[in-house]
């Protein structure tokens, strides 16, 4: 029986912990472990039949940079791809980009077409990734938690940002993103579920009206809330001066519905 022939695909990427010149050894080890696990998860998503090995090629001082070689062995009969290692790295970067895109909240909508997944966040922004990578991310909380762990490690180390760079792409986790990136968002249901309560009748204390334009009014209901007034007849009477006494604290009969 002829042994299976494997081809090698080699790419490198750089992980930079930007901030201090040195880095705590335990923090470094945890971060690299989680990074390696995330890269392997990308490889499994792209093609479980390939073999993957990661080697640390160099450590550099300054922003403390680690250069990692990803060596992928694959059968030409199973996977006719010139740079499978490059695809694995891109999948790894897309895991991070999905987490950034969600901004600490569940996805609003996920749509899959052909080999592509479109992820809509709560701000109605769309990110498109490969279907295999997207499905792996939202399958369970494993990938999400790995990115959470990496973020917690760099935030505990007081780093300005983490950079992952390939020959033609760079992804950064900035200090301003740490809180969102460290928030778990996958718990079995990847898409946020909207729950709408029944409307209730309540007299809302007025905080600030809009007597001239079309901006939102402010009321108090346990805390400040904003509301768009849909009653055009009411607004017309307000602007004509037919409805008066709209001072702070006056109670407005309202029908209130929570989502």
């Amino acid at each position: 029986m002829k042994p299976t022939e494997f081809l090698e695909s080699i790419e490198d990427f750089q992980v930079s912990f930007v901030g201090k010149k040195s880095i705590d050894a335990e923090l470094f080890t945890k971060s690299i472990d989680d990074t390696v696990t995330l890269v392997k998860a990308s490889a499994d998503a792209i093609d479980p039949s390939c073999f993957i090995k990661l080697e640390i090629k160099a450590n550099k001082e300054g922003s403390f940079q680690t250069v990692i070689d990803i060596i992928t062995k694959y059968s030409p009969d199973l996977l006719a791809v010139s740079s499978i290692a490059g695809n694995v790295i891109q999948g790894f970067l897309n895991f991070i980009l999905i987490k950034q895109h969600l901004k600490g909240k569940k996805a609003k909508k996920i749509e899959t077409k052909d080999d592509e997944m479109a992820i809509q966040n709560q701000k109605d922004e769309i990110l498109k990734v490969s279907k295999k990578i997207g499905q792996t991310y939202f399958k369970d909380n494993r990938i999400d938690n790995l990115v959470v762990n990496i973020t917690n490690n760099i935030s505990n180390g007081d780093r300005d940002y983490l950079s992952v760079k390939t020959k033609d792409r760079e992804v950064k986790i900035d200090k301003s993103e740490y809180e969102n990136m460290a928030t778990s968002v996958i718990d079995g249901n990847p898409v946020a579920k909207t729950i709408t309560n029944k409307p209730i009748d309540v007299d809302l204390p007025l905080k600030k009206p809009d007597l001239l334009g079309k901006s939102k009014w402010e009321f108090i209901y346990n805390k400040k809330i904003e509301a768009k007034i849909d009653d055009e007849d009411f607004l017309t009477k307000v602007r004509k001066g037919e409805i008066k006494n709209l001072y702070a604290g006056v109670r407005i009969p309202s029908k209130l519905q929570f989502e």
Side-chain angles (χ1 to χ4, degrees):
M1 185 175 178
K2 186 179 177 180
T4 303
E5 179 186 358
F6 287 96
L7 302 179
E8 278 193 351
S9 174
I10 304 176
E11 296 280 349
D12 67 55
F13 64 98
Q14 301 171 3
V15 181
S16 299
F17 302 86
V18 180
K20 304 172 184 176
K21 288 187 177 181
S22 61
I23 188 169
D24 178 80
E26 187 175 356
L27 184 149
F28 171 74
T29 302
K30 288 179 180 178
S31 299
I32 294 300
D33 281 348
D34 290 332
T35 299
V36 168
T37 304
L38 207 56
V39 171
K40 288 183 176 179
S42 173
D44 287 341
I46 290 170
D47 195 301
S49 64
C50 67
F51 299 89
I52 187 169
K53 180 173 69 172
L54 289 98
E55 296 180 350
I56 295 179
K57 189 163 64 175
N59 281 323
K60 299 180 181 179
E61 202 178 14
S63 60
F64 201 85
Q65 181 185 98
T66 302
V67 182
I68 300 177
D69 263 353
I70 173 170
I71 305 170
T72 309
K73 293 184 179 182
Y74 61 95
S75 168
D77 297 331
L78 297 176
L79 201 58
V81 179
S82 59
S83 180
I84 182 64
N87 290 350
V88 169
I89 293 175
Q90 294 306 314
F92 160 63
L93 293 178
N94 281 331
F95 283 149
I96 298 174
L97 288 173
I98 291 172
K99 184 67 175 173
Q100 285 183 314
H101 176 68
L102 293 175
K103 302 183 190 301
K105 298 180 180 179
K106 289 188 176 185
K108 187 174 184 178
K109 184 189 294 184
I110 298 173
E111 292 182 337
T112 302
K113 184 178 180 181
D114 299 327
D115 292 328
E116 189 175 68
M117 176 181 285
I119 305 164
Q120 182 177 351
N121 64 19
Q122 293 298 324
K123 293 190 174 183
D124 294 327
E125 299 163 334
I126 303 292
L127 173 69
K128 293 183 178 180
V129 298
S130 77
K131 183 171 73 172
K132 290 180 178 179
I133 290 297
Q135 287 177 337
T136 299
Y137 194 99
F138 291 109
K139 181 181 178 181
D140 52 44
N141 62 4
R142 183 172 63 102
I143 304 300
D144 189 67
N145 284 344
L146 281 170
V147 184
V148 168
N149 290 344
I150 291 171
T151 304
N152 283 331
N153 285 336
I154 59 174
S155 62
N156 290 338
D158 193 28
R159 298 277 159 178
D160 294 331
Y161 64 87
L162 171 73
S163 167
V164 182
K165 188 176 182 180
T166 67
K167 60 184 179 182
D168 52 13
R169 194 178 185 189
E170 182 177 17
V171 174
K172 292 182 179 180
I173 302 176
D174 187 77
K175 182 178 287 187
S176 62
E177 300 176 276
Y178 288 172
E179 184 175 353
N180 285 342
M181 295 289 286
T183 301
S184 298
V185 295
I186 308 296
D187 58 2
N189 183 5
V191 180
K193 183 179 179 181
T194 301
I195 300 174
T196 304
N197 293 335
K198 291 181 179 180
I200 59 173
D201 293 316
V202 61
D203 292 340
L204 288 178
L206 179 63
K207 186 178 189 320
K208 186 176 75 174
D210 175 29
L211 303 179
L212 298 175
K214 293 184 177 181
S215 62
K216 292 182 178 180
W217 291 40
E218 292 182 2
F219 297 91
I220 300 296
Y221 189 83
N222 296 328
K223 61 179 182 179
K224 184 188 80 172
I225 60 173
E226 294 181 335
K228 177 178 177 292
I229 308 298
D230 290 328
D231 190 335
E232 290 296 334
D233 289 339
F234 172 78
L235 290 174
T236 298
K237 291 177 181 179
V238 168
R239 288 163 188 159
K240 287 183 177 180
E242 296 175 15
I243 295 179
K244 301 178 180 179
N245 299 324
L246 291 174
Y247 52 85
V250 68
R251 292 179 178 270
I252 308 295
S254 309
K255 191 174 289 293
L256 187 65
Q257 187 173 46
F258 289 101
E259 279 192 355

